[in-house]
Amino acid sequence: MGGPDSNSPEKTSEHREYRIAELAEKAGITVRTLRFYRERKLIPPPRREGRVAWYNDHHLARLHTIAALLERGHTLGGIAELLAAFDSGARDVADLLGLRATPIPVPAWSQETPVRLTPEALADYFQGQATPENLAASLDLGYLAVDGDQLVHVSRRLLDVSRDLVDRGLPLAAVLGAARDVRRHVDAIAEVFAALLRTTVLAEPASRIGATLEELRPMAEGVVEAELSMAMDRRIRAELVAWADGDRETPPTER
């Protein structure tokens, strides 16, 4: 990338670059504040060309995020932790969405819709519970990935259900803990079906594998849904019987 001249910032097809005073003006802050953010490592270091520091649209977006989080009541210390969690937990979006190439082109089994969010939108989504610890747990689970100045959640359904559970009073940390337990069990279920695939589907001609997987998806999902519904019937009956045999004064949900 060629360097800009001394009078005007460079503009490329990817991003524009700014001197510190111009960036501060666009972000609506003072140069002194911008330097303070840089010293606190709230923004990445600029590109240097000799004694000149060049900032780009990534820095501008990060400054807008900081301003939005401050408006929502976050402290600078908390924002620094959140942004560090975003940056250190960055993982490949292609891996998150299952977009890595396979030896044989096949349709994705999952039909989930990914969601792009800004950090401040995520903070609003979970009513201040988007702590560094919860973000780290979400990144570790593979629910989230960092893509530039945005987050990508792997599933609109999982995101909405998580938010609904938090709205009902469950701590986000508890929701993520339950998600980790569920993940362990569904991985075991997936291994059962994968074993069937190894002995049946993968024995077919390569040209048929994709179509066969499409045919098997609703069957496998139907089996899991039916088994889960019956298992929930058994567990709920057992819980209610235990409650009836014990303390009838306290509903199971209030223990």
Side-chain angles (χ1 to χ4, degrees):
M1 178 165 56
D5 60 40
S6 60
N7 295 318
S8 62
E10 179 185 18
K11 187 174 183 179
T12 71
S13 60
E14 295 182 354
H15 61 252
R16 181 178 177 183
E17 291 195 313
Y18 313 92
R19 289 178 181 268
I20 188 170
E22 186 179 8
L23 179 66
E25 181 181 0
K26 283 188 169 294
I29 59 177
T30 65
V31 170
R32 182 177 179 181
T33 298
L34 177 52
R35 289 197 175 108
F36 175 74
Y37 288 166
R38 189 177 68 191
E39 291 166 3
R40 291 285 300 271
K41 302 189 186 314
L42 292 171
I43 62 173
R47 183 181 72 84
R48 292 200 171 271
E49 190 173 84
R51 299 184 64 181
V52 179
W54 292 102
Y55 299 84
N56 57 38
D57 289 329
H58 174 77
H59 295 95
L60 183 59
R62 175 61 62 90
L63 290 171
H64 287 157
T65 293
I66 293 169
L69 290 173
L70 285 172
E71 288 179 2
R72 286 160 173 77
H74 290 261
T75 65
L76 281 178
I79 292 171
E81 291 182 353
L82 290 173
L83 296 177
F86 296 153
D87 294 338
S88 65
R91 52 176 288 166
D92 195 303
V93 174
D95 277 339
L96 178 82
L97 302 180
L99 298 178
R100 291 294 184 205
T102 56
I104 301 171
V106 293
W109 187 285
S110 169
Q111 301 296 301
E112 300 305 314
T113 302
V115 183
R116 288 186 172 272
L117 296 161
T118 61
E120 58 267 28
L122 186 69
D124 284 346
Y125 221 79
F126 290 107
Q127 303 175 9
Q129 294 193 48
T131 62
E133 294 78 14
N134 287 336
L135 285 169
S138 298
L139 291 160
D140 185 53
L141 273 167
Y143 281 1
L144 289 178
V146 181
D147 188 18
D149 292 293
Q150 289 189 315
L151 298 168
V152 180
H153 194 288
V154 70
S155 166
R156 164 64 71 184
R157 286 197 298 177
L158 288 174
L159 179 64
D160 288 345
V161 167
S162 299
R163 190 263 315 278
D164 291 344
L165 290 171
V166 170
D167 287 347
R168 286 177 173 267
L170 285 174
L172 181 56
V175 172
L176 292 172
R180 191 176 298 280
D181 290 339
V182 170
R183 171 70 58 80
R184 184 172 66 254
H185 292 297
V186 296
D187 277 347
I189 293 171
E191 176 54 33
V192 172
F193 287 105
L196 292 175
L197 294 179
R198 283 193 294 270
T199 57
T200 56
V201 177
L202 296 183
E204 295 187 358
S207 60
R208 275 286 306 158
I209 290 177
T212 302
L213 288 175
E214 288 278 20
E215 295 166 3
L216 289 178
R217 180 193 295 114
M219 300 179 195
E221 291 176 350
V223 169
V224 173
E225 183 177 356
E227 286 288 357
L228 177 60
S229 64
M230 291 187 291
M232 287 300 299
D233 279 340
R234 294 192 296 272
R235 295 300 302 175
I236 290 170
R237 283 196 297 269
E239 287 289 327
L240 291 176
V241 168
W243 167 67
D245 289 343
D247 182 5
R248 291 174 178 268
E249 300 293 326
T250 306
T253 55
E254 295 182 7
R255 286 183 176 178

